[in-house]
Amino acid sequence: MPSMPPAFPGSLPVIDLSLADDPETRAAFHKELHDAAHHVGFLHLTGHGISSPETDRILRLTREFFALPEADRLAVSNLRSPHFRGYTRIGHELTGGRSDWRDQLDVGAERPAPAVGPDDPAYLWLEGPNQWPAALPELRSVVLDWQERLAAVAHRLLRELLVSVGAPADFFDEAFADRPHLHTKLIRYPGSAPSGSGQGVGAHKDYGFLTLLLQDDVGGLQVRSGDTFLEVPPLPGAFVVNLGELLEIATNGYLAATDHRVVSPPGAVERFSVPFFYNPRLDAVIDTVPGAYLSRAPGIAHDHTNPLHAEYGRNELKGWVRAHPEVARRHHPELVGAG
């Protein structure tokens, strides 16, 4: 059974990334970042350099995408993509085997589809072209630019996080240098489900390295603390950052991925969010981060229902197949039921 994460105070730490630039505040910054990553696994990130016009623009386009006629959204359905890219209808993504009451558009790095042979790892299917709605041509350039901007922020944060645990800042540079696996979701939570279920998205851990979440002013995000879940109210100008399973593996549990979920907004209230996932090359094998902290590392929390893989692509593919079984059955039936 997985161990219960420690409880933490009722609000997330607020970490100002710009403090890492000042020699007079750098040491205190690293201590605060270390404590947030070690004890909580979640934080609010400010001082990141992403401007309000940039965040306003992508939230505006997110709302405009979901305001398109259903036919325009279904024209880019992920059921058409062997790369799990595109639009997912409400209720068609699963978390913990149960339907999430949200719809979304999944976008990755814009690359041509690789030629995947029978002896190649199946996770290579996770690379390929995106699907873009013809009715909203502005979306392509804005989302791809957003991914590049946030990748730079996430890379800087990852390097500072390594320094905070006494490791070389460049330890993961090679794993991210060539073809990092970037992923952005545009998400709408369309109010309460007719069934009465409050599961906007069920409790889960992200299966990569770092997630940077932009959310609107409607609440609903909750983070596990001990045996309960705490609300994470939106903080204007901040990203919510959380650590994924691969950082837990890489630090032998010292930096633990933390369960989180979204409770559906009440009635017909809509909630919009844009999470960005920063991850290494699909074939990167994640080595243990060196450092004196390892003597205090508790080990990885093993859960037989959720095996963790050090090879990033296997961890990523596991998540996609579980969350989108209909896509897997249509394009990759041999993967359905695989661990």
Side-chain angles (χ1 to χ4, degrees), residues 132-147:
W132 302 103
L136 195 59
E138 183 185 2
L139 191 66
R140 184 184 192 275
S141 61
V142 170
V143 173
L144 293 180
D145 179 66
W146 179 259
Q147 284 198 145

Side-chain angles (χ1 to χ4, degrees), residues 99-141:
S99 294
D100 296 322
W101 196 247
R102 67 178 187 177
D103 55 348
Q104 63 193 31
L105 181 71
D106 283 293
V107 175
E110 189 67 74
R111 294 171 182 151
V116 183
D119 297 326
D120 292 324
Y123 57 65
L124 294 180
W125 283 108
L126 296 176
E127 283 201 344
N130 295 297
Q131 299 190 82
W132 302 103
L136 195 59
E138 183 185 2
L139 191 66
R140 184 184 192 275
S141 61

Side-chain angles (χ1 to χ4, degrees), residues 198-229:
Q199 179 171 308
V201 62
H204 67 286
K205 299 176 181 180
D206 293 344
Y207 34 78
F209 263 69
L210 287 174
T211 302
L212 278 66
L213 170 70
L214 174 66
Q215 53 179 342
D216 66 9
D217 57 1
V218 177
L221 175 63
Q222 298 181 342
V223 175
R224 182 183 290 280
S225 174
D227 59 358
T228 190
F229 280 86

Side-chain angles (χ1 to χ4, degrees), residues 7 28 128 167 217 221 230 271 328 334:
D217 57 1
L221 175 63
L230 298 180
R271 176 184 187 265
E334 71 283 0

Side-chain angles (χ1 to χ4, degrees), residues 4-331:
M4 186 65 68
F8 56 86
S11 60
L12 295 189
V14 179
I15 303 297
D16 183 346
L17 186 56
S18 69
L19 296 179
D21 298 326
D22 186 341
E24 294 187 1
T25 57
R26 186 166 170 80
F29 163 81
H30 283 132
K31 182 181 187 307
E32 291 179 358
L33 179 60
H34 167 276
D35 291 349
H38 175 50
H39 296 296
V40 184
F42 266 80
L43 56 95
H44 285 295
L45 186 71
T46 63
H48 41 66
I50 306 296
S51 68
S52 294
E54 289 175 286
T55 59
D56 291 346
R57 180 176 62 172
I58 197 162
L59 282 173
R60 172 182 59 81
L61 283 169
T62 297
R63 294 185 179 96
E64 289 181 8
F65 171 76
F66 291 106
L68 292 175
E70 184 180 49
D72 289 330
R73 286 178 275 129
L74 291 178
V76 293
S77 168
N78 67 348
L79 295 177
R80 304 158 65 98
S81 170
H83 316 293
F84 296 86
R85 306 288 178 81
Y87 174 67
T88 303
R89 299 175 69 179
I90 296 171
H92 282 238
E93 184 182 41
L94 305 180
T95 301
R98 298 177 58 203
S99 294
D100 296 322
W101 196 247
R102 67 178 187 177
D103 55 348
Q104 63 193 31
L105 181 71
D106 283 293
V107 175
E110 189 67 74
R111 294 171 182 151
V116 183
D119 297 326
D120 292 324
Y123 57 65
L124 294 180
W125 283 108
L126 296 176
E127 283 201 344
N130 295 297
Q131 299 190 82
W132 302 103
L136 195 59
E138 183 185 2
L139 191 66
R140 184 184 192 275
S141 61
V142 170
V143 173
L144 293 180
D145 179 66
W146 179 259
Q147 284 198 145
E148 292 301 319
R149 294 278 285 134
L150 264 65
V153 174
H155 187 66
R156 171 74 189 283
L157 179 61
L158 179 60
R159 288 174 63 93
E160 300 296 353
L161 182 59
L162 289 169
V163 172
S164 79
V165 297
D170 63 354
F171 184 75
F172 287 123
D173 281 6
E174 191 277 332
F176 283 86
D178 181 22
R179 299 168 70 86
H181 196 71
L182 311 181
H183 175 211
T184 301
K185 286 179 179 282
L186 310 184
I187 301 175
R188 172 179 62 172
Y189 297 89
S192 300
S195 66
S197 169
Q199 179 171 308
V201 62
H204 67 286
K205 299 176 181 180
D206 293 344
Y207 34 78
F209 263 69
L210 287 174
T211 302
L212 278 66
L213 170 70
L214 174 66
Q215 53 179 342
D216 66 9
D217 57 1
V218 177
L221 175 63
Q222 298 181 342
V223 175
R224 182 183 290 280
S225 174
D227 59 358
T228 190
F229 280 86
L230 298 180
E231 297 282 345
V232 181
L235 180 64
F239 288 97
V240 177
V241 175
N242 66 278
L243 280 55
E245 291 176 339
L246 283 190
L247 274 176
E248 179 176 302
I249 292 173
T251 59
N252 198 28
Y254 190 77
L255 303 180
T258 304
D259 281 321
H260 52 288
R261 67 188 184 188
V262 173
V263 176
S264 295
V269 174
E270 291 184 318
R271 176 184 187 265
F272 297 93
S273 66
V274 184
F276 166 77
F277 305 88
Y278 185 61
N279 295 309
R281 297 189 328 271
L282 289 169
D283 64 350
V285 176
I286 305 307
D287 294 324
T288 301
V289 175
Y293 78 91
L294 284 169
S295 64
R296 306 186 302 280
I300 300 169
H302 292 285
D303 180 355
H304 74 279
T305 68
N306 183 37
L308 302 181
H309 305 292
E311 189 175 17
Y312 166 63
R314 293 184 64 196
N315 223 41
E316 178 82 0
L317 184 63
K318 170 197 69 177
W320 282 105
V321 170
R322 289 183 175 189
H324 297 275
E326 194 171 348
V327 177
R329 281 192 292 268
R330 178 172 295 200
H331 297 283

